[in-house]
Amino acid sequence: MSPPSAPSALGRRDFLRLAGLVGGGLAGAGALAACSSAPSQPPPTSVGAVGAGKTIAVSLNGNNAYSGYVAEGVLKELDGTGYGFAGVQNNFDSSVELGNVQNLLSQGIAGLVVLPADAGTIAKAAQLAKQQNIAVGNALWPGPSAADQDFAGVAALDSVAGGRMIGDWLKTNTTPGPVIVVQGILGQGFSERIDQGLDASLAGSAFQVVVREQGFFEREKATTIVESALQAHPDARAIVSYSASMSNGIAALLKAKNLPNIAHVSSDGDDEMFTWLGTPYLRACRYYSAAQTGVLAAKAVRGVLEGHPEPFQGGVAQQIITGDTAKAAIAANPYRYAQYATKARI
């Protein structure tokens, strides 16, 4: 199918620096350093602007299209509110993540949206924030834990159910046999929960996971994993990747090797992925909106700051889509808000 109308995807290596919502700017951030200058404040706003004089920041786990779409969701939720905006990205490094968040907290922010690189690190960051009366919304919640008391609210994506969806689709639509699984990053709680659901679905079937490795949401890493796995298991019948950023490279590899008979299933969605979906090289996707997770986490933060707390768990919709059903799914629940793309990158 043709990709939905939108600007080109954020470059995976282009550092995400988020321009201010209404003139507010992103505090400078690098792969190894936290923001070092105070967050910009918005320009003068009407007297009734709910966010006037306050800043909501974002801590992104890394720099790829998915992170950019989460930021677009945050920007959508803050649009017109008067809040200033600041942010950092953490290069998928938990040691960088905590330092970056601590730096943001020192700059007088009122709220924070996190897309965690590591669940434990972000739990500590949320604890520190709560001690300073700073509201934190989690856009990648690993599930119930003791850390929940420190979050204003979470985007609740049921990844166990998502894993079951993928397994059930494989059993219904593909030939049984060896399965190659490319995870994201262990420690987030995200991949582990998809594993749990997928394994539960495939238990007792003729599908067997023969390779399960972390791709770190990197195209090249995922492609290398699959290439090696296919050499060891040339009879593989299916490949499951836990993100579009990895599936894009896997689909290109399958096309280059002329392997249209291996059922490849992805998760989430980005601009490039929708050019592959519906081809023999990407059959299906466990679809949910990255942007929706940003909206929900930012809404939770706003609710606390504005005195109308939202439900702790904001439910994230998900479904299995194919090339035939993608357009309707995107229309009902956009994976990004491209109108904020220029504000979400330099």
Side-chain angles (χ1 to χ4, degrees):
M1 63 171 284
S2 299
S5 178
S8 59
L10 296 179
R12 192 174 59 82
R13 295 296 182 189
D14 294 334
F15 172 63
L16 230 183
R17 297 183 66 193
L18 305 172
L21 175 62
V22 193
L26 173 68
L32 297 177
C35 53
S36 57
S37 59
S40 299
Q41 298 301 319
T45 56
S46 63
V47 174
V50 295
K54 300 176 183 177
T55 295
I56 292 178
V58 63
S59 171
L60 302 173
N61 56 21
N63 179 23
N64 59 14
Y66 183 97
S67 297
Y69 301 162
V70 173
E72 289 175 7
V74 174
L75 287 166
K76 176 176 173 59
E77 177 60 23
L78 300 185
D79 196 357
T81 63
Y83 286 102
F85 191 74
V88 292
Q89 71 90 11
N90 303 308
N91 239 23
F92 299 108
D93 187 328
S94 60
S95 64
V96 173
E97 184 170 52
L98 183 58
N100 277 352
V101 171
Q102 288 174 316
N103 206 318
L104 283 172
L105 297 181
S106 73
Q107 297 180 43
I109 62 173
L112 176 66
V113 172
V114 295
L115 178 64
D118 181 87
T121 301
I122 284 300
K124 176 63 175 176
Q127 182 182 57
L128 294 174
K130 188 174 183 180
Q131 291 170 358
Q132 299 178 47
N133 295 316
I134 296 170
V136 181
N138 191 336
L140 188 64
W141 187 51
S145 75
D148 290 349
Q149 64 182 338
D150 297 321
F151 290 106
V154 300
L157 173 66
D158 188 342
S159 287
V160 176
R164 288 196 193 99
M165 288 179 180
I166 294 171
D168 291 350
W169 186 89
L170 289 174
K171 291 187 296 185
T172 301
N173 295 279
T174 66
T175 304
V179 179
I180 297 166
V181 172
V182 185
Q183 304 160 304
I185 300 175
L186 298 182
Q188 292 178 312
F190 172 74
S191 292
E192 294 91 332
R193 289 170 66 81
I194 304 177
D195 286 343
Q196 181 182 340
L198 178 64
D199 290 351
S201 174
L202 298 183
S205 74
F207 290 86
Q208 179 187 8
V209 176
V210 293
V211 173
R212 195 192 306 261
E213 293 187 34
Q214 299 177 76
F216 297 92
F217 301 112
E218 294 185 5
R219 182 188 189 110
E220 292 84 0
K221 178 67 173 175
T223 303
T224 298
I225 289 170
V226 170
E227 191 160 26
S228 296
L230 290 175
Q231 291 172 359
H233 303 278
D235 57 340
R237 304 308 307 160
I239 299 169
V240 178
S241 163
Y242 290 178
S243 79
S245 58
M246 299 188 296
S247 281
N248 294 332
I250 294 168
L253 175 69
L254 294 177
K255 181 177 181 180
K257 290 185 172 295
N258 191 27
L259 296 173
N261 296 320
I262 298 176
H264 174 201
V265 183
S266 186
S267 185
D268 66 66
D270 65 20
D271 288 347
E272 183 181 351
M273 193 206 78
F274 288 106
T275 69
W276 290 108
L277 189 63
T279 73
Y281 311 108
L282 183 61
R283 306 279 186 85
C285 177
R286 170 239 185 170
Y287 175 70
Y288 67 92
S289 165
Q292 187 189 17
T293 69
V295 167
L296 291 170
K299 189 182 294 290
V301 171
R302 282 192 60 193
V304 170
L305 296 181
E306 296 164 23
H308 51 81
E310 298 289 325
F312 179 76
Q313 295 186 34
V316 179
Q318 61 179 327
Q319 66 185 98
I320 294 291
I321 62 172
T322 63
D324 292 332
T325 60
K327 184 175 181 179
I330 294 168
N333 192 21
Y335 63 95
R336 68 175 304 187
Y337 294 103
Q339 65 268 38
Y340 300 102
T342 58
K343 296 179 180 179
R345 61 178 176 178
I346 292 177

